[in-house]
Amino acid sequence: MSGAFKNVIVVGAGGNLGAPILSALDSNKHFTVSVLARQASKSTFPSHVKVHSVGNDYPEAELLEAFKGQDAVVSAITSYGPGVSQQKKLIDAAVKAGVKRFVPSEFGSNTLDKNARALLPQLFGAKLEIVEYLRGKEKEGLTWSAFVTGPFFDWGLAVGFLGYNLKERKATIYDDGNTVWSTTTLATIGKAVSNAMLVPEKTANKYLFIDSFTVSQNEVLESLERVTNEKWDVKHVDAEGQKKEGLDKFSKGDFSGVMQLLCYGIFVNGHGNNYTKQEGGANELLSLPKQTLDEVITEVVKG
Protein backbone atom coordinates (compact mmCIF):
# COMPACT_ATOMS: atom_id res chain seq x y z
CA MET A 1 0.00 0.00 0.00
CA SER A 2 1.58 3.23 -1.11
CA GLY A 3 0.33 6.67 -2.09
CA ALA A 4 -2.99 8.34 -1.43
CA PHE A 5 -6.20 6.54 -2.31
CA LYS A 6 -8.08 8.01 -5.26
CA ASN A 7 -11.28 6.07 -5.98
CA VAL A 8 -13.68 6.12 -3.03
CA ILE A 9 -17.26 4.88 -2.87
CA VAL A 10 -19.64 5.92 -0.06
CA VAL A 11 -22.47 3.69 1.16
CA GLY A 12 -25.30 5.51 2.91
CA ALA A 13 -24.29 8.84 1.39
CA GLY A 14 -27.78 10.31 1.67
CA GLY A 15 -27.97 10.25 5.47
CA ASN A 16 -27.08 12.81 8.14
CA LEU A 17 -23.55 11.43 8.35
CA GLY A 18 -23.04 10.15 4.81
CA ALA A 19 -23.86 13.48 3.18
CA PRO A 20 -21.02 15.49 4.80
CA ILE A 21 -18.59 12.63 4.15
CA LEU A 22 -19.57 12.63 0.48
CA SER A 23 -19.30 16.42 0.38
CA ALA A 24 -15.78 16.42 1.86
CA LEU A 25 -14.54 13.80 -0.58
CA ASP A 26 -16.25 15.47 -3.53
CA SER A 27 -14.76 18.88 -2.71
CA ASN A 28 -11.23 17.49 -2.99
CA LYS A 29 -10.27 17.23 -6.67
CA HIS A 30 -7.83 14.43 -5.84
CA PHE A 31 -10.69 11.98 -5.36
CA THR A 32 -13.00 10.27 -7.79
CA VAL A 33 -15.97 9.68 -5.54
CA SER A 34 -19.08 7.63 -6.21
CA VAL A 35 -22.09 6.41 -4.27
CA LEU A 36 -23.58 2.98 -3.61
CA ALA A 37 -27.35 3.30 -3.13
CA ARG A 38 -30.02 0.67 -2.70
CA GLN A 39 -32.87 0.69 -5.21
CA ALA A 40 -35.32 1.70 -2.46
CA SER A 41 -33.34 4.85 -1.66
CA LYS A 42 -35.01 8.20 -2.35
CA SER A 43 -31.80 10.18 -1.85
CA THR A 44 -30.48 12.43 -4.59
CA PHE A 45 -26.87 13.34 -5.28
CA PRO A 46 -24.94 15.87 -7.37
CA SER A 47 -25.32 15.11 -11.07
CA HIS A 48 -21.58 14.60 -11.57
CA VAL A 49 -21.35 11.90 -8.87
CA LYS A 50 -21.76 8.39 -10.23
CA VAL A 51 -24.43 6.37 -8.41
CA HIS A 52 -24.23 2.57 -8.35
CA SER A 53 -27.76 1.29 -7.72
CA VAL A 54 -27.96 -2.18 -6.18
CA GLY A 55 -30.69 -4.44 -4.83
CA ASN A 56 -32.01 -3.73 -1.36
CA ASP A 57 -30.33 -6.85 0.05
CA TYR A 58 -26.92 -5.93 -1.41
CA PRO A 59 -26.49 -8.82 -3.92
CA GLU A 60 -22.85 -9.86 -4.12
CA ALA A 61 -22.58 -9.69 -7.92
CA GLU A 62 -23.84 -6.10 -7.91
CA LEU A 63 -21.50 -5.13 -5.09
CA LEU A 64 -18.52 -6.62 -6.92
CA GLU A 65 -19.39 -4.60 -10.01
CA ALA A 66 -19.72 -1.39 -7.97
CA PHE A 67 -16.51 -2.02 -6.03
CA LYS A 68 -14.42 -2.83 -9.11
CA GLY A 69 -11.49 -0.42 -9.24
CA GLN A 70 -12.33 1.22 -5.91
CA ASP A 71 -9.51 1.96 -3.47
CA ALA A 72 -11.78 2.50 -0.48
CA VAL A 73 -15.33 1.86 0.71
CA VAL A 74 -16.84 4.14 3.35
CA SER A 75 -19.88 2.79 5.19
CA ALA A 76 -22.32 5.26 6.74
CA ILE A 77 -25.25 2.87 7.07
CA THR A 78 -27.01 1.80 10.27
CA SER A 79 -24.47 0.03 12.46
CA TYR A 80 -26.72 -2.31 14.46
CA GLY A 81 -29.55 -4.79 13.79
CA PRO A 82 -29.56 -5.56 10.05
CA GLY A 83 -26.62 -3.21 9.63
CA VAL A 84 -24.27 -5.88 11.02
CA SER A 85 -24.99 -8.46 8.31
CA GLN A 86 -25.17 -5.73 5.66
CA GLN A 87 -21.73 -4.38 6.54
CA LYS A 88 -20.31 -7.91 6.52
CA LYS A 89 -21.66 -8.31 2.98
CA LEU A 90 -19.97 -5.07 2.00
CA ILE A 91 -16.70 -6.18 3.60
CA ASP A 92 -16.73 -9.60 1.92
CA ALA A 93 -17.38 -8.00 -1.46
CA ALA A 94 -14.64 -5.43 -0.83
CA VAL A 95 -12.13 -8.23 -0.22
CA LYS A 96 -13.15 -10.08 -3.39
CA ALA A 97 -13.01 -6.87 -5.45
CA GLY A 98 -9.52 -6.02 -4.25
CA VAL A 99 -10.52 -2.89 -2.31
CA LYS A 100 -7.67 -1.60 -0.14
CA ARG A 101 -9.50 0.20 2.70
CA PHE A 102 -12.87 -0.18 4.44
CA VAL A 103 -14.24 2.45 6.82
CA PRO A 104 -17.00 0.91 8.97
CA SER A 105 -19.94 2.81 10.38
CA GLU A 106 -18.19 3.20 13.73
CA PHE A 107 -18.66 6.97 14.06
CA GLY A 108 -19.86 7.99 17.53
CA SER A 109 -19.04 6.88 21.07
CA ASN A 110 -15.85 5.15 22.16
CA THR A 111 -16.91 1.51 21.79
CA LEU A 112 -13.53 0.33 23.07
CA ASP A 113 -14.65 1.41 26.54
CA LYS A 114 -16.17 -1.55 28.40
CA ASN A 115 -18.54 0.62 30.43
CA ALA A 116 -19.90 2.21 27.25
CA ARG A 117 -20.44 -1.24 25.71
CA ALA A 118 -22.19 -2.47 28.86
CA LEU A 119 -24.57 0.49 28.68
CA LEU A 120 -25.77 -0.30 25.16
CA PRO A 121 -24.42 -3.74 24.18
CA GLN A 122 -26.81 -4.08 21.26
CA LEU A 123 -25.46 -0.94 19.58
CA PHE A 124 -21.84 -0.74 20.70
CA GLY A 125 -21.31 -4.50 20.68
CA ALA A 126 -22.44 -4.57 17.05
CA LYS A 127 -19.89 -1.93 16.13
CA LEU A 128 -17.11 -3.83 17.87
CA GLU A 129 -18.19 -7.01 16.06
CA ILE A 130 -17.68 -5.31 12.70
CA VAL A 131 -14.19 -4.09 13.59
CA GLU A 132 -13.25 -7.58 14.77
CA TYR A 133 -14.58 -8.92 11.47
CA LEU A 134 -12.35 -6.44 9.66
CA ARG A 135 -9.34 -7.49 11.71
CA GLY A 136 -9.91 -10.99 10.36
CA LYS A 137 -9.70 -9.68 6.80
CA GLU A 138 -6.33 -7.96 7.21
CA LYS A 139 -4.52 -11.11 6.09
CA GLU A 140 -6.54 -11.00 2.86
CA GLY A 141 -5.25 -7.52 2.03
CA LEU A 142 -8.09 -5.31 3.27
CA THR A 143 -7.14 -2.53 5.69
CA TRP A 144 -9.55 -0.52 7.82
CA SER A 145 -9.93 2.77 9.69
CA ALA A 146 -12.53 3.27 12.44
CA PHE A 147 -13.43 6.79 13.57
CA VAL A 148 -14.39 7.62 17.15
CA THR A 149 -16.07 11.03 17.03
CA GLY A 150 -18.28 11.34 20.08
CA PRO A 151 -21.74 12.82 19.44
CA PHE A 152 -22.20 14.75 16.20
CA PHE A 153 -22.17 18.16 17.85
CA ASP A 154 -23.94 20.44 15.38
CA TRP A 155 -26.57 17.84 14.52
CA GLY A 156 -27.12 16.93 18.19
CA LEU A 157 -27.47 20.57 19.17
CA ALA A 158 -29.89 21.36 16.34
CA VAL A 159 -32.26 18.45 16.99
CA GLY A 160 -32.20 18.67 20.79
CA PHE A 161 -30.37 15.38 21.33
CA LEU A 162 -27.78 17.00 23.60
CA GLY A 163 -30.42 18.49 25.89
CA TYR A 164 -30.73 22.01 24.46
CA ASN A 165 -33.99 23.31 23.00
CA LEU A 166 -32.92 26.11 20.68
CA LYS A 167 -36.44 27.29 19.95
CA GLU A 168 -37.61 27.52 23.57
CA ARG A 169 -34.20 28.45 25.03
CA LYS A 170 -34.31 25.58 27.53
CA ALA A 171 -31.51 23.30 28.70
CA THR A 172 -31.60 19.92 30.43
CA ILE A 173 -28.38 19.32 32.39
CA TYR A 174 -27.29 15.95 33.77
CA ASP A 175 -26.20 16.27 37.43
CA ASP A 176 -23.96 19.34 37.87
CA GLY A 177 -23.14 19.64 34.16
CA ASN A 178 -19.38 19.80 34.70
CA THR A 179 -18.34 16.48 33.15
CA VAL A 180 -16.29 17.05 29.98
CA TRP A 181 -16.83 15.06 26.78
CA SER A 182 -15.31 15.03 23.33
CA THR A 183 -17.52 15.83 20.35
CA THR A 184 -17.15 16.48 16.62
CA THR A 185 -19.09 18.39 13.98
CA LEU A 186 -20.34 16.61 10.89
CA ALA A 187 -18.16 18.69 8.57
CA THR A 188 -15.05 17.79 10.57
CA ILE A 189 -15.98 14.10 10.46
CA GLY A 190 -16.23 14.38 6.68
CA LYS A 191 -12.87 16.11 6.55
CA ALA A 192 -11.31 13.42 8.74
CA VAL A 193 -12.49 10.61 6.49
CA SER A 194 -11.32 12.48 3.40
CA ASN A 195 -7.90 13.28 4.82
CA ALA A 196 -7.40 9.73 6.10
CA MET A 197 -7.51 8.60 2.47
CA LEU A 198 -4.55 10.86 1.70
CA VAL A 199 -2.29 9.15 4.27
CA PRO A 200 -3.36 5.49 4.03
CA GLU A 201 -0.22 4.01 5.58
CA LYS A 202 -0.58 6.17 8.70
CA THR A 203 -4.30 5.40 9.14
CA ALA A 204 -4.37 1.66 8.45
CA ASN A 205 -5.88 -0.86 10.84
CA LYS A 206 -6.51 1.50 13.72
CA TYR A 207 -9.05 3.55 15.57
CA LEU A 208 -8.77 7.28 14.88
CA PHE A 209 -9.97 9.47 17.77
CA ILE A 210 -11.03 12.92 16.60
CA ASP A 211 -12.87 15.89 18.07
CA SER A 212 -13.81 19.48 17.34
CA PHE A 213 -13.52 20.27 21.04
CA THR A 214 -13.90 18.77 24.50
CA VAL A 215 -16.53 20.59 26.55
CA SER A 216 -19.00 20.30 29.41
CA GLN A 217 -22.74 20.84 29.30
CA ASN A 218 -22.30 24.02 31.31
CA GLU A 219 -19.76 25.37 28.82
CA VAL A 220 -22.19 24.69 25.97
CA LEU A 221 -24.94 26.46 27.92
CA GLU A 222 -22.71 29.47 28.59
CA SER A 223 -21.85 29.67 24.90
CA LEU A 224 -25.52 29.43 23.90
CA GLU A 225 -26.38 32.28 26.26
CA ARG A 226 -23.56 34.40 24.81
CA VAL A 227 -24.53 33.72 21.22
CA THR A 228 -28.28 34.22 21.72
CA ASN A 229 -27.80 37.04 24.21
CA GLU A 230 -30.50 35.47 26.35
CA LYS A 231 -30.71 33.76 29.71
CA TRP A 232 -31.87 30.17 29.27
CA ASP A 233 -34.21 28.14 31.48
CA VAL A 234 -32.21 25.31 33.04
CA LYS A 235 -33.45 22.02 34.47
CA HIS A 236 -31.07 19.66 36.24
CA VAL A 237 -31.86 15.94 36.11
CA ASP A 238 -30.43 13.02 38.05
CA ALA A 239 -28.19 11.05 35.70
CA GLU A 240 -28.79 7.70 37.41
CA GLY A 241 -32.52 8.31 37.21
CA GLN A 242 -32.20 8.99 33.48
CA LYS A 243 -30.24 5.77 33.06
CA LYS A 244 -32.87 3.72 34.90
CA GLU A 245 -35.66 5.31 32.89
CA GLY A 246 -33.78 4.73 29.65
CA LEU A 247 -33.15 1.08 30.39
CA ASP A 248 -36.81 0.58 31.29
CA LYS A 249 -38.01 2.23 28.09
CA PHE A 250 -35.57 0.33 25.91
CA SER A 251 -36.57 -3.01 27.46
CA LYS A 252 -40.15 -2.25 26.38
CA GLY A 253 -39.15 -1.39 22.83
CA ASP A 254 -39.28 2.39 23.30
CA PHE A 255 -36.34 3.71 21.25
CA SER A 256 -36.35 7.03 23.10
CA GLY A 257 -34.71 5.10 25.93
CA VAL A 258 -31.64 4.64 23.73
CA MET A 259 -31.30 8.41 23.46
CA GLN A 260 -31.31 8.71 27.26
CA LEU A 261 -28.68 5.98 27.57
CA LEU A 262 -26.49 7.60 24.95
CA CYS A 263 -26.71 10.90 26.81
CA TYR A 264 -25.86 9.15 30.08
CA GLY A 265 -22.73 7.72 28.44
CA ILE A 266 -21.77 11.16 27.12
CA PHE A 267 -22.45 13.23 30.23
CA VAL A 268 -21.32 10.84 33.00
CA ASN A 269 -17.64 10.07 33.61
CA GLY A 270 -16.30 6.56 33.12
CA HIS A 271 -17.73 5.73 29.68
CA GLY A 272 -14.86 6.74 27.42
CA ASN A 273 -16.49 10.11 26.85
CA ASN A 274 -13.28 12.15 27.26
CA TYR A 275 -11.55 9.88 24.77
CA THR A 276 -9.02 12.35 23.33
CA LYS A 277 -7.42 12.59 26.77
CA GLN A 278 -7.70 8.85 27.41
CA GLU A 279 -6.72 7.52 23.98
CA GLY A 280 -4.89 10.40 22.26
CA GLY A 281 -6.23 12.26 19.27
CA ALA A 282 -5.68 12.05 15.51
CA ASN A 283 -6.56 15.68 14.75
CA GLU A 284 -3.01 16.64 13.88
CA LEU A 285 -2.39 13.52 11.81
CA LEU A 286 -5.53 14.27 9.78
CA SER A 287 -4.87 18.04 9.52
CA LEU A 288 -8.28 18.86 10.97
CA PRO A 289 -9.33 22.49 11.33
CA LYS A 290 -9.42 24.07 14.78
CA GLN A 291 -12.86 25.31 15.80
CA THR A 292 -14.17 27.22 18.78
CA LEU A 293 -17.38 26.42 20.59
CA ASP A 294 -18.83 29.89 19.97
CA GLU A 295 -18.11 29.70 16.23
CA VAL A 296 -19.92 26.39 15.80
CA ILE A 297 -22.84 27.34 18.04
CA THR A 298 -23.27 30.60 16.12
CA GLU A 299 -23.58 28.62 12.89
CA VAL A 300 -26.13 26.23 14.41
CA VAL A 301 -28.23 28.99 15.97
CA LYS A 302 -28.34 30.88 12.66
CA GLY A 303 -29.54 27.68 11.00
Side-chain angles (χ1 to χ4, degrees):
M1 178 175 53
S2 62
F5 295 145
K6 180 174 179 60
N7 300 319
V8 184
I9 187 168
V10 182
V11 189
N16 291 323
L17 176 62
I21 291 175
L22 175 63
S23 178
L25 288 163
D26 189 38
S27 66
N28 188 327
K29 295 185 183 302
H30 170 81
F31 298 110
T32 299
V33 62
S34 58
V35 166
L36 183 81
R38 294 190 296 177
Q39 291 169 352
S41 173
K42 304 297 183 184
S43 299
T44 58
F45 305 99
S47 59
H48 63 276
V49 174
K50 183 174 182 179
V51 178
H52 300 268
S53 182
V54 300
N56 296 330
D57 59 347
Y58 295 116
E60 183 183 70
E62 296 177 16
L63 291 179
L64 290 175
E65 181 63 28
F67 290 171
K68 186 188 304 180
Q70 301 290 350
D71 293 313
V73 176
V74 179
S75 173
I77 65 175
T78 301
S79 55
Y80 62 95
V84 175
S85 61
Q86 289 170 353
Q87 284 200 91
K88 287 182 178 179
K89 280 187 176 182
L90 297 174
I91 293 166
D92 290 343
V95 171
K96 289 185 178 181
V99 172
K100 301 170 185 174
R101 175 68 51 87
F102 191 94
V103 176
S105 191
E106 173 71 23
F107 313 96
S109 300
N110 181 10
T111 58
L112 290 177
D113 186 273
K114 63 180 182 180
N115 292 331
R117 292 200 306 275
L119 193 62
L120 274 169
Q122 300 91 333
L123 175 58
F124 297 153
K127 289 186 174 186
L128 193 64
E129 180 182 343
I130 291 300
V131 172
E132 289 305 311
Y133 194 73
L134 282 165
R135 291 187 193 276
K137 301 299 181 182
E138 291 175 19
K139 61 183 179 293
E140 298 179 59
L142 182 67
T143 63
W144 56 273
S145 300
F147 292 83
V148 176
T149 66
F152 311 153
F153 184 78
D154 46 342
W155 173 85
L157 188 61
V159 302
F161 166 64
L162 295 175
Y164 306 94
N165 186 319
L166 298 183
K167 184 178 180 180
E168 298 181 6
R169 305 296 198 246
K170 293 181 179 179
T172 300
I173 305 294
Y174 277 52
D175 293 340
D176 64 9
N178 289 323
T179 296
V180 295
W181 34 280
S182 303
T183 179
T184 315
T185 64
L186 287 171
T188 297
I189 294 172
K191 189 74 171 175
V193 173
S194 174
N195 287 358
M197 301 298 163
L198 299 174
V199 287
E201 293 184 350
K202 295 180 179 180
T203 56
N205 303 330
K206 63 176 63 174
Y207 283 86
L208 297 166
F209 297 85
I210 64 170
D211 73 328
S212 295
F213 28 68
T214 296
V215 294
S216 69
Q217 279 191 290
N218 286 336
E219 288 172 332
V220 174
L221 174 61
E222 290 165 5
S223 178
L224 281 165
E225 291 184 334
R226 281 195 301 272
V227 169
T228 61
N229 198 30
E230 295 180 44
K231 192 69 178 175
W232 283 44
D233 291 332
V234 180
K235 178 178 73 172
H236 287 265
V237 296
D238 175 64
E240 294 304 321
Q242 291 295 304
K243 176 185 177 182
K244 183 177 183 301
E245 185 177 307
L247 289 169
D248 184 58
K249 285 181 179 179
F250 190 38
S251 69
K252 296 175 181 176
D254 183 348
F255 192 72
S256 68
V258 174
M259 299 298 104
Q260 287 176 282
L261 294 173
L262 285 171
C263 284
Y264 179 89
I266 295 167
F267 302 142
V268 176
N269 279 326
H271 298 85
N273 39 358
N274 188 5
Y275 54 80
T276 51
K277 179 180 179 180
Q278 298 154 347
E279 306 286 353
N283 286 19
E284 185 174 343
L285 169 65
L286 299 174
S287 303
L288 298 184
K290 294 183 178 180
Q291 299 171 285
T292 69
L293 186 58
D294 280 10
E295 287 171 348
V296 174
I297 284 182
T298 298
E299 291 177 6
V300 175
V301 170
K302 287 182 176 179

